[in-house]
Amino acid sequence: VDAAAFTLHSPDIRHNATIKEAQVFNGFGCTGGNVSPALVWKNPPQGTKSFALLVHDPDAPPGGAGWWHWVVYNIPAGTTSLPQGAGAADGSPLPAGAVQHKTDFGAAGWGGPCPPVGDNPHRYVFTLYALKVEKLDIPEGATASLVGFMVNANTIARATLTGKYGRKK
């Protein structure tokens, strides 16, 4: 499988560049728009039966576990993009069948960056997983980490995009 050609891009976030205020969380002292970025991917490997998207901040302070900002799975195999705002709490902009899971903010849907004031800019890693199964059977009440485990256990290939965000004051 030639996974090198599997790519993830966003018209809203340049790789390793600062994430715009439109995507930043609105709460905990942050005043962003909390709108999920548009995402586009190309060349998933043969055998892809669905996708999962996990957005994680590995620099968040909770004991080294990081912070889950968006968890979506059961994205149909024919999907090649998600529109800006697809992470709305009700999930209505997502493709039929896709499921948003509860993030570390305590609710399903996009939760934008909002690192502690004074931290170095945090990395927000968008990872799109090409999966060998059509659906993940995630139990009710599962943690985002369990979803991540199930996703990784069924991954054929992954594509990543990283944005950064920090707050000075």
Side-chain angles (χ1 to χ4, degrees):
V1 174
D2 178 15
F6 184 35
T7 58
L8 176 63
H9 300 281
S10 173
D12 301 319
I13 299 172
R14 287 194 350 267
H15 186 61
N16 282 328
T18 300
I19 293 173
K20 298 173 188 160
E21 290 298 316
Q23 277 71 57
V24 171
F25 192 70
N26 188 3
F28 300 123
C30 289
T31 56
N34 202 43
V35 174
S36 62
L39 297 168
V40 179
W41 54 93
K42 293 179 182 166
N43 304 316
Q46 274 195 315
T48 300
K49 294 186 178 173
S50 69
F51 296 100
L53 175 70
L54 305 180
V55 181
H56 186 252
D57 171 3
D59 304 315
W67 190 271
W68 294 102
H69 285 264
W70 199 15
V71 177
V72 188
Y73 57 92
N74 296 347
I75 300 169
T79 307
T80 58
S81 65
L82 294 176
Q84 186 181 77
D90 68 2
S92 62
L94 289 169
V99 177
Q100 291 189 120
H101 196 79
K102 187 165 47 167
T103 68
D104 285 332
F105 286 105
W110 169 256
C114 186
V117 172
D119 273 15
N120 286 327
H122 287 202
R123 295 166 292 157
Y124 297 87
V125 182
F126 292 73
T127 306
L128 182 71
Y129 298 84
L131 304 180
K132 61 185 177 185
V133 295
E134 285 185 28
K135 293 198 181 304
L136 292 175
D137 187 18
I138 306 292
E140 187 70 30
T143 63
S145 291
L146 178 62
V147 174
F149 175 84
M150 298 293 288
V151 165
N152 276 289
N154 289 285
T155 295
I156 299 170
R158 58 181 57 92
T160 63
L161 169 68
T162 301
K164 297 181 179 179
Y165 188 79
R167 295 194 296 158
K168 290 180 177 75
K169 295 181 185 179

